[in-house]
Amino acid sequence: MNRQAPLSRLPHQTPVQYIKGVGPARADRLKRLGVETAEDLLWLAPRRYEDRSRFAAIREAQPGSKVTIQGRVLSSELRRLPNGRTLLEAVVGDDTGVLRCLWFNQPYLARQIREGEQLIVYGEVEGRTSRQMVHPEVEHVEREPAPDDPAHLHVGRIVPIYPLTEGIGQRWLRRVANTALECAAGGVPELLPEELRRRLELARADWALSQLHFPDSWETLERARARLSFDELFLMQVRLALRRARFAQRTKPQRYQLEGELAASFRRQLPFALTASQEQVLREILDDVSRPTPMLRLLQGDVGCGKTVVAAMAMLVAIQSGFQAALMAPTELLAAQHARVLRAALEPLGVSVGLLAAGTEEDRPELLRRIADGSTALVVGTHALLEPSVTFARLAFVVIDEQHKFGVTQRAALVRKAVAPDVLVMTATPIPRTLALSLYGDLTCSTITELPLGRRPVRTVRLPEAKRDEAYTLIRAALQEGRQGYIVYPLVEAKAGSGLKAAAQMVRQLQHDVFPGVAVELIHGQMPSAAQERVMRNFSQGSTRLLVSTVVIEVGLDVPNATVMLIEHAERFGLSQLHQLRGRISRGSHPATCLVLSEASDELSRQRLSAFVDTTDGFQLAERDLVLRGPGELLGRDQHGWWRFRVADLARDAGVLEQARREAFALVARDPVLRDPALAALRAKLGMKPA
Ligand code: ADP
Ligand code: MG
């Protein structure tokens, strides 16, 4: 064998510019595809594949099907349409017939699609008598292939179609991917110990990477994808398992009195009995905190199921044992509400409750002093709690509400304020299990599975703009019965000409023309927090009847008398966000109605909104959202970027994820510091020093 050493052992972290044919300018462009190193290029997953072992014949192409056709441009003409748009029309012919290809408003394509060119076009076939495609994807067949361009990369096989960016073409990318694969051949490190790989019957990494780009068949592609998704998910789960192991290794100084006067009195004065599910979850928490190692637990449960009261009971156990507890919420409004409710219940019992948020009117130095000396036992706050000036005397129990609005680093920052606190993380965003395992995979999980007795599902109705008055009539009726309501807009203010209605611009009209005589107030996130809090207090006390708002009210707010909500431009909200919004009106025993106005007619909006109308089950909606929009959109936090996988797909690879998780946690349980020499590659990948 005559392998050139430097080529065949291309180190994985080699900047991509040193791969033959790339160079600095193209390397810059590849960055936009997330490709910086040779390894990134090897892992650049095609966005789809085309089977070009045989091209479709134009005459046989079925209307409605997506096909790939190779042919010559017989004519090409750019026209300006009466409405100012442009139309490029090219006629492409093969041995069997002709195909009309149309592109609207992409005049620059005229320079590329010229008479005589050989093209490969891909798209959906339309038309019964004559065939046509609108906006097909195009690849030019070069008249003179590059000298080292094995033609078999582009035709005669299953061909990768990559995501592209300006200045990067399919053919070029196929060539450099091929070069990178050749260079890396035999040098791709195996992340998985051989024993594991064989037991799970996973393919080898180097084979899988080459099949990812140039699969021999659809079956081998599937096998390759399975292996590579496993790698990504396994790596993530090993990280989580290590984090959990580090956390659980610590012994905590706090010991609790589970039975005590404080928790008992709090429970006695609740106006309701806990549901069986709340009791169950509380038991799980108390069992967990009785252990010598700190608790790290996720409390899940759909909006309105009553997580706060469970957290309060648990915090009181810590407080009656002489410790401090902290509750962190993502918005000032929610923190203020928690403080208000907890104060009302706890101050009569002699527990001092402090509120720490950027806009609080409290005497801050005094509050900080009381937190530092331990005289404030329960501290509620926003991320203001994380500031270095906040120190606790005896913090032992930490609750993070609406955790999905925070990042892992913020959770860690609060945890560092104590020696080894017990941590309870809460989320009302029902997320699919695959996402939960990714985001919260280091946590044990408790779920509240039922809503308090007497809750009725919210009736949800989608109305067209023409029936806007009907929506107003329904709201008026609810207000007349003594209920309260929300009207929610996606924006505070909309640009002129955008055609959007926005909260701050609509409130006056709503007050004067639509709901005269009703106490209407406006709330949005750009108002000073003291003003927000005042508006919210008025609403929760009932002096304000109708709240015109933005998504600031999305999480956590609890005004049981509010039973009607109108959501404007509903297509602009995510499905989970809509569900959270609707959760604001499903908190009491009166029947509630959620009205949805949307003019959107595109397929995705239509599907999302009809899912929203059809089901009130948050978990089902979240699963739908995951499929429809992908995980990034679902949670929408940059901090969670680490689960933007290259090959794995959380909506599709749930089974792989479960398996990867089992293996990762078993591995870390056996070998908590990954000492086994078979794990050297894994250690390196995790950035750990060699064992
Ligand atoms: P979430 O789980 O969404 O945070 P909350 O804790 O805000 O929900 O509770 C929603 C509402 O339900 C509150 O008004 C709370 O007082 C009430 N609630 C909680 N538990 C019960 C129960 N067991 N029976 C009746 N109402 C309850
Ligand atoms: Mg809540």
Side-chain angles (χ1 to χ4, degrees), residues 290-321:
S290 309
R291 289 175 210 188
T293 53
M295 172 174 81
L296 185 53
R297 184 172 287 270
L298 172 69
L299 175 50
Q300 275 202 107
D302 211 344
V303 252
C305 69
K307 292 181 288 296
T308 320
V309 64
V310 173
M313 286 289 296
M315 289 193 291
L316 286 175
V317 165
I319 291 169
Q320 75 190 4
S321 314

CSV table of all heavy atoms in Angstrom, one decimal, residues 290-321:
chain,number,residue,atom,x,y,z
A,290,SER,N,-34.1,13.3,52.1
A,290,SER,CA,-33.7,12.7,53.3
A,290,SER,C,-32.4,11.9,53.2
A,290,SER,O,-31.8,11.5,54.1
A,290,SER,CB,-34.8,11.6,53.8
A,290,SER,OG,-36.0,12.2,53.8
A,291,ARG,N,-31.9,11.8,51.9
A,291,ARG,CA,-30.7,11.1,51.7
A,291,ARG,C,-29.5,12.0,52.0
A,291,ARG,O,-29.6,13.2,52.0
A,291,ARG,CB,-30.6,10.7,50.3
A,291,ARG,CG,-31.5,9.6,50.0
A,291,ARG,CD,-31.5,9.2,48.5
A,291,ARG,NE,-32.8,8.7,48.3
A,291,ARG,CZ,-33.2,8.2,47.2
A,291,ARG,NH1,-32.4,8.1,46.2
A,291,ARG,NH2,-34.4,7.7,47.0
A,292,PRO,N,-28.3,11.4,52.2
A,292,PRO,CA,-27.1,12.2,52.5
A,292,PRO,C,-26.6,12.9,51.3
A,292,PRO,O,-25.8,13.8,51.5
A,292,PRO,CB,-26.1,11.1,53.0
A,292,PRO,CG,-26.6,9.8,52.6
A,292,PRO,CD,-28.1,9.9,52.4
A,293,THR,N,-27.0,12.5,50.1
A,293,THR,CA,-26.5,13.3,49.0
A,293,THR,C,-27.5,14.3,48.5
A,293,THR,O,-28.7,14.0,48.7
A,293,THR,CB,-26.1,12.3,47.8
A,293,THR,OG1,-27.3,11.5,47.6
A,293,THR,CG2,-25.0,11.4,48.1
A,294,PRO,N,-27.1,15.4,47.9
A,294,PRO,CA,-28.1,16.4,47.5
A,294,PRO,C,-29.1,15.9,46.4
A,294,PRO,O,-28.7,15.1,45.6
A,294,PRO,CB,-27.2,17.5,46.9
A,294,PRO,CG,-25.9,17.0,46.7
A,294,PRO,CD,-25.7,15.8,47.5
A,295,MET,N,-30.3,16.4,46.5
A,295,MET,CA,-31.3,16.1,45.5
A,295,MET,C,-31.0,17.0,44.2
A,295,MET,O,-30.7,18.1,44.3
A,295,MET,CB,-32.7,16.5,46.0
A,295,MET,CG,-33.8,16.3,45.0
A,295,MET,SD,-35.4,16.6,45.7
A,295,MET,CE,-35.5,18.4,45.8
A,296,LEU,N,-31.3,16.4,43.1
A,296,LEU,CA,-31.3,17.1,41.8
A,296,LEU,C,-32.5,16.6,41.0
A,296,LEU,O,-32.4,15.5,40.4
A,296,LEU,CB,-29.9,16.9,41.0
A,296,LEU,CG,-29.7,17.7,39.8
A,296,LEU,CD1,-29.9,19.2,40.0
A,296,LEU,CD2,-28.3,17.4,39.2
A,297,ARG,N,-33.6,17.3,41.1
A,297,ARG,CA,-34.8,16.7,40.6
A,297,ARG,C,-35.6,17.7,39.7
A,297,ARG,O,-35.6,18.9,40.0
A,297,ARG,CB,-35.6,16.2,41.8
A,297,ARG,CG,-36.9,15.5,41.4
A,297,ARG,CD,-37.6,14.9,42.7
A,297,ARG,NE,-36.9,13.8,43.2
A,297,ARG,CZ,-37.2,12.5,42.8
A,297,ARG,NH1,-38.1,12.3,41.9
A,297,ARG,NH2,-36.5,11.5,43.2
A,298,LEU,N,-36.2,17.1,38.7
A,298,LEU,CA,-37.1,17.9,37.9
A,298,LEU,C,-38.5,17.6,38.2
A,298,LEU,O,-38.9,16.5,38.4
A,298,LEU,CB,-36.9,17.5,36.4
A,298,LEU,CG,-37.9,18.1,35.4
A,298,LEU,CD1,-37.7,19.6,35.2
A,298,LEU,CD2,-37.7,17.4,34.0
A,299,LEU,N,-39.3,18.7,38.5
A,299,LEU,CA,-40.7,18.6,38.7
A,299,LEU,C,-41.5,19.0,37.5
A,299,LEU,O,-41.4,20.2,37.1
A,299,LEU,CB,-41.2,19.4,39.9
A,299,LEU,CG,-42.7,19.4,40.2
A,299,LEU,CD1,-43.3,18.0,40.3
A,299,LEU,CD2,-42.9,20.1,41.6
A,300,GLN,N,-42.1,18.1,36.8
A,300,GLN,CA,-42.8,18.4,35.5
A,300,GLN,C,-44.3,18.4,35.8
A,300,GLN,O,-44.7,17.6,36.7
A,300,GLN,CB,-42.5,17.3,34.5
A,300,GLN,CG,-41.3,17.5,33.7
A,300,GLN,CD,-41.5,16.7,32.4
A,300,GLN,OE1,-41.7,17.2,31.3
A,300,GLN,NE2,-41.4,15.4,32.5
A,301,GLY,N,-45.0,19.1,35.0
A,301,GLY,CA,-46.5,19.0,35.1
A,301,GLY,C,-47.1,20.1,34.3
A,301,GLY,O,-46.5,21.2,34.2
A,302,ASP,N,-48.2,19.8,33.7
A,302,ASP,CA,-48.8,20.7,32.7
A,302,ASP,C,-49.2,22.0,33.4
A,302,ASP,O,-49.3,22.0,34.6
A,302,ASP,CB,-50.0,20.0,32.1
A,302,ASP,CG,-50.2,20.6,30.6
A,302,ASP,OD1,-49.6,21.6,30.3
A,302,ASP,OD2,-51.0,19.9,29.9
A,303,VAL,N,-49.4,23.1,32.6
A,303,VAL,CA,-49.8,24.4,33.2
A,303,VAL,C,-51.0,24.2,34.1
A,303,VAL,O,-51.9,23.6,33.8
A,303,VAL,CB,-50.2,25.4,32.1
A,303,VAL,CG1,-49.1,26.4,32.0
A,303,VAL,CG2,-50.5,24.7,30.8
A,304,GLY,N,-50.9,24.8,35.3
A,304,GLY,CA,-52.0,24.8,36.2
A,304,GLY,C,-52.2,23.6,37.1
A,304,GLY,O,-53.1,23.5,37.8
A,305,CYS,N,-51.2,22.7,37.0
A,305,CYS,CA,-51.4,21.5,37.8
A,305,CYS,C,-51.1,21.7,39.3
A,305,CYS,O,-51.4,20.8,40.1
A,305,CYS,CB,-50.6,20.3,37.2
A,305,CYS,SG,-48.8,20.5,37.5
A,306,GLY,N,-50.5,22.8,39.6
A,306,GLY,CA,-50.2,23.1,41.0
A,306,GLY,C,-48.8,22.7,41.5
A,306,GLY,O,-48.7,22.0,42.5
A,307,LYS,N,-47.8,23.1,40.8
A,307,LYS,CA,-46.4,22.8,41.2
A,307,LYS,C,-46.0,23.7,42.3
A,307,LYS,O,-45.2,23.3,43.2
A,307,LYS,CB,-45.5,23.0,40.0
A,307,LYS,CG,-45.7,21.9,38.9
A,307,LYS,CD,-44.8,22.1,37.7
A,307,LYS,CE,-45.1,23.3,36.9
A,307,LYS,NZ,-46.4,23.3,36.2
A,308,THR,N,-46.4,24.9,42.3
A,308,THR,CA,-45.9,25.9,43.3
A,308,THR,C,-46.2,25.4,44.7
A,308,THR,O,-45.3,25.5,45.6
A,308,THR,CB,-46.6,27.3,43.1
A,308,THR,OG1,-46.8,27.5,41.7
A,308,THR,CG2,-45.8,28.4,43.7
A,309,VAL,N,-47.3,24.9,45.0
A,309,VAL,CA,-47.7,24.6,46.3
A,309,VAL,C,-46.8,23.4,46.8
A,309,VAL,O,-46.4,23.3,48.0
A,309,VAL,CB,-49.2,24.3,46.5
A,309,VAL,CG1,-49.6,23.1,45.7
A,309,VAL,CG2,-49.6,24.1,47.9
A,310,VAL,N,-46.5,22.5,45.9
A,310,VAL,CA,-45.6,21.4,46.2
A,310,VAL,C,-44.2,21.9,46.6
A,310,VAL,O,-43.6,21.5,47.6
A,310,VAL,CB,-45.5,20.4,45.0
A,310,VAL,CG1,-44.5,19.3,45.3
A,310,VAL,CG2,-46.9,19.7,44.8
A,311,ALA,N,-43.7,22.8,45.7
A,311,ALA,CA,-42.4,23.4,46.0
A,311,ALA,C,-42.4,24.1,47.3
A,311,ALA,O,-41.4,24.1,48.1
A,311,ALA,CB,-42.0,24.4,44.9
A,312,ALA,N,-43.5,24.8,47.6
A,312,ALA,CA,-43.6,25.6,48.9
A,312,ALA,C,-43.5,24.6,50.1
A,312,ALA,O,-42.8,24.9,51.0
A,312,ALA,CB,-44.9,26.4,48.9
A,313,MET,N,-44.2,23.5,50.0
A,313,MET,CA,-44.2,22.5,51.1
A,313,MET,C,-42.7,22.0,51.3
A,313,MET,O,-42.3,21.9,52.4
A,313,MET,CB,-45.0,21.3,50.7
A,313,MET,CG,-46.5,21.5,50.8
A,313,MET,SD,-47.1,21.6,52.5
A,313,MET,CE,-46.7,20.0,53.2
A,314,ALA,N,-42.1,21.8,50.2
A,314,ALA,CA,-40.7,21.2,50.3
A,314,ALA,C,-39.8,22.3,50.9
A,314,ALA,O,-38.9,22.0,51.7
A,314,ALA,CB,-40.2,20.8,48.9
A,315,MET,N,-39.9,23.6,50.5
A,315,MET,CA,-39.1,24.6,51.0
A,315,MET,C,-39.3,24.8,52.5
A,315,MET,O,-38.4,25.1,53.2
A,315,MET,CB,-39.4,25.9,50.2
A,315,MET,CG,-38.8,25.9,48.8
A,315,MET,SD,-38.8,27.6,48.0
A,315,MET,CE,-40.5,27.9,47.8
A,316,LEU,N,-40.6,24.6,52.9
A,316,LEU,CA,-40.9,24.8,54.3
A,316,LEU,C,-40.2,23.7,55.2
A,316,LEU,O,-39.9,24.0,56.3
A,316,LEU,CB,-42.4,24.8,54.5
A,316,LEU,CG,-43.1,26.1,54.1
A,316,LEU,CD1,-44.6,26.0,54.2
A,316,LEU,CD2,-42.5,27.3,54.9
A,317,VAL,N,-40.1,22.5,54.6
A,317,VAL,CA,-39.4,21.5,55.4
A,317,VAL,C,-37.9,22.0,55.6
A,317,VAL,O,-37.4,21.8,56.7
A,317,VAL,CB,-39.4,20.2,54.6
A,317,VAL,CG1,-38.4,19.2,55.1
A,317,VAL,CG2,-40.8,19.6,54.7
A,318,ALA,N,-37.3,22.6,54.6
A,318,ALA,CA,-36.0,23.1,54.8
A,318,ALA,C,-36.0,24.2,55.8
A,318,ALA,O,-35.1,24.3,56.7
A,318,ALA,CB,-35.4,23.6,53.5
A,319,ILE,N,-37.0,25.1,55.7
A,319,ILE,CA,-37.0,26.3,56.6
A,319,ILE,C,-37.3,25.9,58.1
A,319,ILE,O,-36.6,26.4,59.0
A,319,ILE,CB,-38.0,27.3,56.1
A,319,ILE,CG1,-37.5,27.9,54.8
A,319,ILE,CG2,-38.3,28.4,57.1
A,319,ILE,CD1,-38.5,28.7,54.0
A,320,GLN,N,-38.2,24.9,58.3
A,320,GLN,CA,-38.5,24.5,59.6
A,320,GLN,C,-37.3,23.7,60.3
A,320,GLN,O,-37.2,23.5,61.5
A,320,GLN,CB,-39.7,23.7,59.7
A,320,GLN,CG,-39.6,22.2,59.2
A,320,GLN,CD,-41.0,21.5,59.1
A,320,GLN,OE1,-42.0,22.1,59.3
A,320,GLN,NE2,-41.0,20.3,58.7
A,321,SER,N,-36.3,23.3,59.4
A,321,SER,CA,-35.1,22.7,59.9
A,321,SER,C,-34.0,23.7,60.1
A,321,SER,O,-32.9,23.3,60.3
A,321,SER,CB,-34.7,21.6,58.9
A,321,SER,OG,-35.8,20.8,58.5
